[in-house]
Amino acid sequence: MSPEQRREMIIRTAIPLIAEYGTAVTTAKVARAAGIGEATIFRVFADKDDLMEACLAEAARPDQVLDELAAIPRDQPLPARLESAVDAVYAHLGRMGAVVGALQATGYRFATACGQPPPDGDGPNRDDAVGAITAALADVLGQDARLLRLPAHRVAGVLFNLVFGPARPGGADLAEPRFLVDVLLNGALLPPTRETETP
């Protein structure tokens, strides 16, 4: 196994442990879970903080959610496609939030802003990640984008904000995907009736 492959394996092993234990996780625990000696960790990471930063950067990467959005069948009805998309983004935010939340709760001092690349430039920039996810959501709209009164990227941005709002720390309970999609596509107003129509 190359040093880079070993590094990736250690990060994959450490992320769920960090989500569970926060800063209380030890490199010895990570090593046991990975089936390696603890000294092996320090061949690819300078110290525990270096490992934590690498795990934060990995948790913020949008690769998995982009793959999930790309895999949504484009022949499904638009509401079904968007509900699947909301589920995928919720899952991404949940994975990232579990790591960040556990570290915050256990007193971790963040060396970098969440989702920003660490000093060595590794990892995604938060704005780039959001832009990539928004572009992927616009792609999910597919040919139905021609039915929208706003450009696809604007609708995708609104959908991302609807999903991201309650997923923030202190946000409201997560809304059902079907509810969010219904509000996005049909609005919050009741259909006009004869009584509410203006002459």
Side-chain angles (χ1 to χ4, degrees), residues 6-197:
R6 193 176 303 281
R7 179 184 172 88
E8 291 175 5
M9 181 270 291
I10 292 169
I11 290 171
R12 283 197 308 271
T13 303
I15 284 176
L17 294 173
I18 292 171
E20 184 174 357
Y21 299 105
T23 57
V25 71
T26 63
T27 50
K29 187 184 289 287
V30 173
R32 280 195 301 275
I36 58 176
E38 188 175 7
T40 303
I41 292 176
F42 298 111
R43 292 193 189 107
V44 289
F45 296 99
D47 52 28
K48 180 178 168 181
D49 280 347
D50 188 27
L51 172 60
M52 295 286 186
E53 285 291 327
C55 288
L56 274 170
E58 182 61 31
R61 284 185 185 280
D63 306 45
Q64 184 172 344
V65 67
L66 295 178
D67 288 344
E68 291 171 1
L69 292 172
I72 295 172
R74 299 309 196 252
D75 58 352
Q76 287 184 340
L78 179 59
R81 293 201 309 272
L82 291 179
E83 287 173 30
S84 297
V86 170
D87 279 331
V89 177
Y90 270 157
H92 168 67
L93 296 174
R95 288 188 296 270
M96 185 169 57
V99 172
V100 173
L103 289 175
Q104 285 178 332
T106 54
Y108 184 73
R109 298 187 64 145
F110 291 87
T112 60
C114 177
Q116 295 297 329
D120 63 3
D122 186 24
N125 177 279
R126 179 177 53 209
D127 292 340
D128 289 346
V130 170
I133 293 170
T134 303
L137 287 171
D139 189 67
V140 170
L141 293 169
Q143 294 190 359
D144 288 310
R146 62 189 168 75
L147 304 175
L148 304 172
R149 65 184 186 89
L150 294 173
H153 74 277
R154 293 286 302 277
V155 173
V158 170
L159 179 58
F160 182 83
N161 286 328
L162 285 173
V163 174
F164 185 67
R168 286 189 207 122
D173 291 339
L174 295 182
E176 288 292 323
R178 181 172 293 181
F179 169 78
L180 288 184
V181 171
D182 182 53
V183 170
L184 178 75
L185 295 180
N186 301 310
L189 294 175
L190 290 169
T193 64
R194 293 187 181 214
E195 290 78 16
T196 61
E197 287 175 350

